[in-house]
Amino acid sequence: GARGSVTVSKVMLFSRDALEEASPSREHGIDARLEASYRWSYCEFLKDSGIELKMPQLTIATASVFCHRFYACHSHGAPANDRYVVATACLFLAGKVEETPKPLNEVVRVCYLVQHKHEYESALKQIHQKDQLEEQREKVLQAEKLLLHTLGFNFNVEHPYKHLLHLAKRLNQSQDLLEESSRSLTQVAWNFANDSLRTTLCLQFSASDIANAVLYLASKLLETTLNLQKDWWKDYHVEQLACDEISNQIMDLYDAKVDDPL
């Protein structure tokens, strides 16, 4: 069940330590490293399933946040919380919330095939059997019910993308960047924002803090080609501590090279 120490119905923010220590998954002997690999695998699954369903990136991003909020309150170790079923429910709900809905049967079928992509032929046969589809539908609807209660029926998710574009535009004007440089900066920052979804950063920081940090990170990466003024971010009320913490957690993703648990 939900743990008293972490409740996300008000979309409160938590420190990384609090999230890792209070994670309900610890009760089932799942450590932070293994949980991070589960997180990576359900984010990858959401991305692949969302693309197959022709859902926009924003919907996939919302589904990822829902999934992170769910596992801040529920253990990966409980049989009812199978991450593929929960992620399917998150994608189905995100489709409705972001006004890009897909029929439940289609979501269930596509997600099932993405999950079983390594034995695609037999999965295809199975999911076309009426009772198998019904059984999967039922699991996803049960997971959605638990998800709705876990979210406290609060579906408000703010993503960094909008803030990022606004900040990039301001930076562009004040620093007089070439169009090509500006495009590269925005694209690299956008990629970092997408990658941040594979962490619990959305439970720790506001969308605008994450936007600031990914732009800062992108500017560091492209420093030599951009000719930005030194310490440009000081004019933008960028919280340096938050920026460093967010940047470090995103960079940790690339260092971890997490093995995908099957």
Side-chain angles (χ1 to χ4, degrees):
R3 295 278 288 267
S5 50
V6 175
T7 161
V8 286
S9 61
K10 292 270 187 299
V11 195
M12 291 160 61
L13 298 171
F14 303 91
S15 73
R16 184 186 194 173
D17 288 348
L19 285 166
E20 293 199 346
E21 285 162 21
S23 169
S25 291
R26 301 296 166 271
E27 287 178 3
H28 288 97
I30 295 165
D31 66 13
R33 189 181 167 79
L34 183 55
E35 187 170 15
S37 71
Y38 287 163
R39 191 178 304 123
W40 182 278
S41 72
Y42 70 62
C43 286
E44 194 66 15
F45 168 76
L46 284 169
K47 178 177 67 95
D48 293 347
S49 302
I51 289 169
E52 281 290 315
L53 286 159
K54 297 186 170 54
M55 284 176 155
Q57 169 59 26
L58 200 68
T59 304
I60 297 170
T62 294
S64 303
V65 174
F66 286 167
C67 232
H68 297 332
R69 288 181 185 172
F70 181 90
Y71 286 110
C73 300
H74 300 280
S75 171
H76 278 283
N81 301 337
D82 175 90
R83 64 185 178 279
Y84 296 106
V85 173
V86 169
T88 302
C90 289
L91 201 55
F92 179 56
L93 179 62
K96 293 184 280 189
V97 167
E98 297 296 350
E99 296 179 0
T100 54
K102 295 285 176 185
L104 178 60
N105 279 5
E106 191 186 344
V107 175
V108 168
R109 189 176 52 77
V110 168
C111 287
Y112 186 82
L113 291 174
V114 169
Q115 181 190 347
H116 298 286
K117 60 182 179 227
H118 299 303
E119 54 270 349
Y120 187 84
E121 290 307 319
S122 67
L124 195 60
K125 281 198 194 90
Q126 281 184 313
I127 203 65
H128 279 110
Q129 289 167 4
K130 193 162 179 280
D131 54 347
Q132 180 68 22
L133 183 65
E134 276 301 312
E135 191 185 324
Q136 277 302 110
R137 264 179 64 104
E138 199 43 51
K139 282 182 187 171
V140 171
L141 288 171
Q142 285 304 317
E144 188 191 29
K145 212 175 281 181
L146 183 55
L147 175 64
L148 293 172
H149 285 283
T150 304
L151 297 173
F153 294 87
N154 179 354
F155 311 128
N156 178 29
V157 176
E158 202 185 354
H159 295 295
Y161 306 112
K162 187 177 72 215
H163 298 283
L164 167 58
L165 293 176
H166 177 67
L167 190 61
K169 192 176 169 187
R170 278 179 60 197
L171 186 62
N172 204 1
Q173 288 161 349
S174 69
Q175 303 276 320
D176 210 18
L177 291 180
L178 293 169
E179 193 184 335
E180 195 184 331
S181 301
S182 171
R183 253 208 314 272
S184 308
L185 180 66
T186 308
Q187 187 59 59
V188 171
W190 193 277
N191 293 344
F192 282 139
N194 283 344
D195 289 343
S196 78
L197 287 167
R198 294 168 185 265
T199 69
T200 57
L201 282 168
C202 63
L203 305 180
Q204 301 171 51
F205 294 96
S206 69
S208 57
D209 275 346
I210 294 171
N212 289 340
V214 295
L215 202 66
Y216 165 77
L217 196 53
S219 75
K220 285 285 187 208
L221 195 72
L222 301 171
E223 210 159 22
T224 49
T225 54
L226 286 181
N227 300 323
L228 286 169
Q229 285 162 16
K230 194 169 159 48
D231 298 347
W232 62 266
W233 57 89
K234 291 196 170 138
D235 298 335
Y236 292 84
H237 309 295
V238 170
E239 174 59 58
Q240 189 65 49
L241 275 175
C243 231
D244 290 341
E245 179 56 31
I246 293 165
S247 301
N248 289 341
Q249 288 190 44
I250 292 173
M251 295 316 288
D252 284 349
L253 267 181
Y254 308 123
D255 294 339
K257 294 192 176 62
V258 180
D259 297 324
D260 183 6
L262 294 172

